[in-house]
Amino acid sequence: MKTSALLLALSISIFANFSLRASADSTAGLILSTKCQGRYNINIWQNYNSGELLYRATSPNGNLSLGKGTKQATEGVRVYKFRSGIYEYWVWDGTLDNAQSGTLEVYKNNRILMKQACRKS
């Protein structure tokens, strides 16, 4: 798990510096705000006009801002997915047992690097 956390930290730092910034302002509304283990704070925004989903994450390893996300419902639980190169970030909005909890999952080349428990804030 330590290797996974290190890889995630590096990827977040790299992408935070080189990613195109998707903007969230008065044209977007906050649809999900979570606090996850490891001091990851995740906000999902949706643009009022275009419907585009935007991902904002802050952590001790840096900040990450992504756009062009997708939303799916799986067994009554929503999952928001965002891609940046070979990395995917999935934010689960609730669980079957608890609507106030969720999960952050990070994948590299379709292999899971990290999974953190979250709670809505």
Side-chain angles (χ1 to χ4, degrees):
M1 191 64 158
K2 289 183 181 181
T3 303
S4 296
L6 178 60
L7 289 172
L8 177 65
L10 291 172
S11 66
I12 287 176
S13 296
I14 291 167
F15 287 120
N17 290 324
F18 297 107
S19 296
L20 292 175
R21 300 279 181 215
S23 60
D25 53 27
S26 63
T27 63
L30 183 65
I31 58 175
L32 178 64
S33 180
T34 64
K35 293 188 182 299
C36 304
Q37 292 174 333
R39 296 185 5 223
Y40 291 91
N41 297 310
I42 312 294
N43 291 316
I44 308 292
W45 297 78
Q46 186 168 24
N47 183 287
Y48 294 125
N49 296 322
S50 68
E52 179 183 8
L53 295 172
L54 310 168
Y55 173 99
R56 301 288 180 278
T58 60
S59 79
N61 302 315
N63 301 329
L64 181 61
S65 179
L66 302 170
K68 299 182 182 174
T70 62
K71 175 175 64 171
Q72 296 176 310
T74 305
E75 297 180 11
V77 178
R78 283 183 303 273
V79 60
Y80 299 93
K81 298 179 181 181
F82 297 85
R83 178 178 291 280
S84 179
I86 59 174
Y87 293 90
E88 279 191 64
Y89 301 83
W90 293 17
V91 181
W92 293 85
D93 183 1
T95 66
L96 293 176
D97 297 329
N98 185 346
Q100 291 303 308
S101 64
T103 307
L104 167 64
E105 297 176 346
V106 180
Y107 296 85
K108 178 182 178 186
N109 291 326
N110 298 318
R111 295 184 60 178
I112 193 158
L113 286 179
M114 183 187 77
K115 185 174 186 177
Q116 298 287 355
C118 305
R119 64 178 167 75
K120 291 184 183 179
S121 51

